[in-house]
Amino acid sequence: MRPHEKYFRIRPTAVILVIFVTLALATCSKKPQTFITGTTHSMGTVVNISIYSAEQTADLEQLYLQAVQAMEEVSAHAAGFRQGSELYDLNQSAGDAEGFVVSPILLDLLLKSQEAYQLTSGAFDPTVAPLVSAYNFAYDSKTGEKSTPHPLTAQQVSALLPLVGFSKVLVDEEKSKVYLPAGMSIDLGAIAKGYAADMACGRVAEEISGVMVEIGGDIAIRGDKPDGEPWQVAIADPRRPQETLVELLLTGDCGVATSGDYERYFEVDGIRYSHIIDPKTGLPAHYMVSVTVMAPTAALADALATGIFVLGIEPGLALVEQLPGVEVLIYTEEDGELGAHYSSGFEKFLADDEDREQIGYSN
Ligand code: AMP
Ligand code: MG
């Protein structure tokens, strides 16, 4: 997932909105539906929103703007590299024995991050931030521009590793206070986009039939389309991200997120080192090409995709098999060939036989 951290204001003129009204034919059993779909920017990346209603009177444009607003709120709290965001200020408080009072949004994100940290045995760990910065994977705090990543020496890595470990951060839920040890900092880039997609869906879900929000490839879905058709979600080819590798058909509430080595990386001796850091070794993970997770929420899918990218194939699959409502599709690469690995329930979400063939499924 390509972050996140660069901040864009909502520019209503840049929002492309398309409203369709579909009236069911008298002979057709499908229910009538109205929908709005649009593209904009939030959290430094492209956002697509589709909202469906069975009510012809629903003010879909207004709901669309509410969904965008929800994402902007998450960005204002969670974009850690951006000066002026709440997370930036929390990071500035490192070492302060008084702790830092956090907003309900940031508290919720940190508690969800703690859950993901525990679930993945520490593979998902937002305190990798000092390493992310040292490798130059971080974004400039003022301009939001990307910089050029580079390797670190073994000495540089071992000097920073003591600053990593989410268990060293105290999150006091009752007092809404966070105590961040000196020198440590937090990067929520691996969960914030999924969380923002969930928030955007949640903001409008009550008033409509179904909504899908995609933010930089991470997707949240709430409800269904009135005509009963499933939601179609395309998984990009990790080596040709403009092209679709497989298509999923989904219904109901869920999230889908992908972590890949193709977003930000550097190469040494032909090996690609990604922007996802193994918190135990301090080294960029390089065992997989992409990890796509389906989960009950997009925040969980986002965090698990990053964590599994670090964990590796076998531990990643074993973890997913234990988690209800969670599936995974992992791609590795050997001699230029992609290899698919997937959890036991993944295949039933594939759109057709061509997709099953693509992942090498046989029953
Ligand atoms: P994603 O694209 O969701 O996998 O998130 C990747 C981003 O999360 C990186 O650009 C870093 O900012 C941050 N990150 C890197 N490694 C980790 C990790 N092991 N756990 C949590 N966040 C990480
Ligand atoms: Mg993630």
Side-chain angles (χ1 to χ4, degrees):
M1 306 191 333
R2 0 346 79 195
H4 57 62
E5 311 297 354
K6 193 173 162 189
Y7 183 68
F8 288 81
R9 299 207 136 270
I10 312 174
R11 288 169 298 163
T13 47
V15 175
I16 306 161
L17 287 181
V18 187
I19 304 179
F20 287 95
V21 181
T22 315
L23 293 172
L25 298 171
T27 51
C28 177
S29 61
K30 287 180 177 174
K31 283 191 191 156
Q33 62 182 21
T34 307
F35 79 93
I36 188 166
T37 182
T39 300
T40 185
H41 277 90
S42 186
M43 302 184 87
T45 190
V46 179
V47 171
N48 291 299
I49 302 174
S50 300
I51 303 174
Y52 285 78
S53 173
E55 307 298 327
Q56 305 297 314
T57 52
D59 187 348
L60 297 185
E61 240 170 282
Q62 183 55 30
L63 291 169
Y64 180 98
L65 291 174
Q66 282 175 23
V68 176
Q69 186 59 40
M71 280 183 275
E72 291 292 307
E73 283 166 26
V74 176
S75 180
H77 291 281
F81 293 111
R82 186 169 57 74
Q83 272 189 21
S85 78
E86 189 187 2
L87 181 57
Y88 185 89
D89 292 343
L90 166 61
N91 284 334
Q92 295 298 308
S93 82
D96 185 345
E98 293 293 306
F100 181 91
V101 177
V102 287
S103 65
I105 287 189
L106 191 51
L107 180 65
D108 193 31
L109 255 166
L110 291 168
L111 292 172
K112 288 192 163 59
S113 296
Q114 271 188 338
E115 273 172 46
Y117 172 74
Q118 278 150 14
L119 276 178
T120 61
S121 313
F124 167 88
D125 186 340
T127 64
V128 292
L131 284 158
V132 173
S133 299
Y135 281 110
N136 243 2
F137 282 123
Y139 288 66
D140 186 282
S141 63
K142 288 199 185 88
T143 63
E145 295 302 321
K146 291 177 183 175
S147 31
T148 309
H150 55 70
L152 295 179
T153 63
Q155 285 86 344
Q156 286 172 312
V157 171
S158 21
L160 291 171
L161 266 180
L163 301 175
V164 177
F166 206 28
S167 56
K168 298 173 202 161
V169 179
L170 182 66
V171 181
D172 185 333
E173 192 178 349
E174 258 172 39
K175 294 195 181 123
S176 295
K177 265 193 167 187
V178 177
Y179 302 83
L180 189 60
M184 289 184 70
S185 61
I186 292 175
D187 173 352
L188 293 174
I191 188 170
K193 288 212 307 281
Y195 184 82
D198 287 333
M199 292 291 276
C201 285
R203 189 67 60 89
V204 301
E206 297 284 284
E207 300 180 51
I208 41 102
S209 310
V211 51
M212 175 156 90
V213 174
E214 187 216 322
I215 171 160
D218 295 344
I219 294 164
I221 295 172
R222 290 283 294 273
D224 287 303
K225 299 183 195 174
D227 70 1
E229 290 294 317
W231 301 95
Q232 289 166 287
V233 170
I235 298 178
D237 182 332
R239 288 292 170 252
R240 289 170 297 169
Q242 300 308 320
E243 292 180 31
T244 297
L245 206 53
V246 291
E247 193 176 64
L248 306 177
L249 298 181
L250 304 172
T251 50
D253 301 355
C254 62
V256 183
T258 300
S259 285
D261 73 352
Y262 47 93
E263 299 296 341
R264 306 211 61 210
Y265 60 88
F266 57 82
E267 280 185 349
V268 179
D269 296 334
I271 297 179
R272 195 181 278 213
Y273 294 92
S274 78
H275 62 146
I276 298 171
I277 314 292
D278 183 335
K280 302 242 163 25
T281 63
L283 301 174
H286 58 91
Y287 330 109
M288 301 175 184
V289 171
S290 76
V291 176
T292 298
V293 173
M294 295 162 52
T297 66
L300 182 61
D302 194 356
L304 285 177
T306 309
I308 291 170
F309 200 95
V310 170
L311 281 175
I313 302 168
E314 297 309 327
L317 289 172
L319 169 64
V320 165
E321 295 299 344
Q322 289 170 24
L323 300 175
V326 179
E327 303 294 344
V328 67
L329 172 64
I330 297 169
Y331 277 103
T332 50
E333 190 178 37
E334 214 170 310
D335 301 327
E337 290 284 311
L338 290 180
H341 314 259
Y342 45 90
S343 52
S344 54
F346 183 79
E347 168 272 328
K348 61 177 179 287
F349 296 100
L350 291 166
D352 58 30
D353 286 345
E354 213 177 301
D355 295 306
R356 283 181 200 94
E357 203 177 309
Q358 213 301 316
I359 66 163
Y361 175 79
S362 57
N363 53 7

